[in-house]
């Protein structure tokens, strides 16, 4: 498939999901707060595209993560319907959509960050794995701090919906940890696939 067509399809897919998510969200104030990430990330991706083209796989991963995020913004992360089903499968009464998205942040976003490390910073070898892992860890932690500051500044009801702790005092630490697991898993897969390709 032509790259321009693929970029256009990914963009259209995201726009369609975003419009759906913007129509009568469960908690409008939370939707606004969650979409701060969208309003920051999407312009950056398009603007940097003039100077740095990610691989198609990276654009796919970024789009998937943003789509999953805006689905969470429609319901709030703690109330996505199939998040309760996921919780039941895992033997928990908690809505696990929030935890899943933090895991997928690591799984999906470490790949484009590694591309930046390889192609712009020109970092190779062991450091080309460690640096992206450190970036994912720092961003996961930074997002939790941003959530706390934002929730402290806005209406209490919107702040509670935005945090989505669901009564777990260790929610932030667990979210960071699963993002680390996700990032580490992807990096291991990249390393193993590189090792296998060299063998054959």
């Amino acid at each position: 498939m032509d790259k321009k067509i693929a970029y256009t399809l990914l963009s259209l897919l995201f726009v369609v999901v975003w419009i759906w998510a913007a129509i009568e969200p469960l908690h409008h104030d939370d939707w606004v707060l969650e979409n701060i990430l969208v309003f920051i990330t999407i312009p950056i991706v398009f603007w940097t595209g003039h100077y740095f083209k990610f691989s198609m796989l990276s654009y796919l991963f970024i789009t998937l993560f943003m789509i999953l995020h805006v689905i969470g913004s429609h319901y709030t992360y703690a109330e996505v319907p199939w998040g309760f089903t996921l919780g039941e499968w895992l033997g928990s009464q908690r809505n696990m959509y929030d935890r899943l998205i933090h895991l997928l942040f690591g799984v999906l976003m470490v790949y484009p960050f590694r591309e930046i490390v390889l192609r712009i910073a020109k970092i190779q070898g062991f450091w080309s794995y460690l640096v992206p892992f450190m970036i994912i860890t720092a961003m996961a932690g930074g997002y939790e701090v941003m959530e706390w500051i934002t929730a402290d500044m806005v209406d209490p009801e919107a702040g509670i919906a935005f945090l989505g702790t669901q009564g777990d005092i260790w929610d932030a630490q667990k979210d960071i940890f699963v993002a680390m697991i996700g990032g580490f898993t992807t990096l291991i897969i990249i390393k193993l696939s590189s090792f296998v390709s060299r063998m054959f």
Side-chain angles (χ1 to χ4, degrees):
M1 181 185 293
D2 181 80
K3 283 189 176 181
K4 286 188 177 180
I5 295 174
Y7 295 146
T8 302
L9 288 175
L10 286 176
S11 299
L12 286 174
L13 178 61
F14 174 77
V15 169
V16 168
V17 177
W18 186 87
I19 291 171
W20 165 82
I23 298 171
E24 298 184 4
L26 197 59
H27 296 281
H28 183 266
D29 290 343
D30 177 66
W31 178 86
V32 172
L33 292 174
E34 297 288 3
N35 273 272
I36 291 172
L37 178 64
V38 176
F39 301 145
I40 292 172
T41 304
I42 298 303
I44 289 174
V45 170
F46 277 98
W47 179 73
T48 55
H50 295 293
Y51 309 98
F52 179 84
K53 293 285 186 187
F54 286 105
S55 66
M56 182 49 60
L57 187 57
S58 280
Y59 281 121
L60 175 62
F61 285 169
I62 293 167
T63 304
L64 283 175
F65 176 74
M66 295 308 295
I67 284 173
L68 292 168
H69 175 71
V70 298
I71 290 171
S73 77
H74 179 78
Y75 296 103
T76 81
Y77 270 66
E79 300 178 67
V80 175
W82 49 276
F84 292 109
T85 303
L86 179 60
E88 289 176 9
W89 291 347
L90 297 173
S92 172
Q93 295 182 338
R94 187 183 198 278
N95 187 310
M96 296 300 285
Y97 187 80
D98 174 56
R99 201 78 78 220
L100 173 66
I101 299 308
H102 283 86
L103 175 71
L104 291 177
F105 171 72
V107 169
L108 298 173
M109 295 304 293
V110 78
Y111 190 89
F113 283 127
R114 186 166 186 268
E115 273 195 17
I116 293 172
V117 165
L118 287 170
R119 290 167 51 193
I120 295 181
K122 307 294 184 184
I123 297 173
Q124 300 293 324
F126 170 76
W127 292 99
S128 70
Y129 294 90
L130 181 60
V131 172
F133 179 76
M134 292 169 66
I135 291 171
I136 284 294
T137 302
M139 290 190 73
Y143 185 79
E144 294 300 326
V145 172
M146 184 275 292
E147 271 192 335
W148 160 58
I149 293 171
T150 304
D152 197 47
M153 293 170 59
V154 300
D155 174 77
E157 184 178 346
I160 290 171
F162 184 55
L163 283 176
T165 59
Q166 301 181 62
D168 185 354
I169 62 170
W170 300 107
D171 181 69
Q173 290 87 343
K174 291 175 182 177
D175 286 346
I176 296 168
F177 182 62
V178 295
M180 292 169 66
I181 291 173
F184 183 77
T185 301
T186 296
L187 292 169
I188 288 293
I189 292 170
I190 292 169
K191 183 63 178 175
L192 289 175
S193 63
S194 174
F195 177 72
V196 170
S197 67
R198 283 200 300 270
M199 287 180 64
F200 298 99

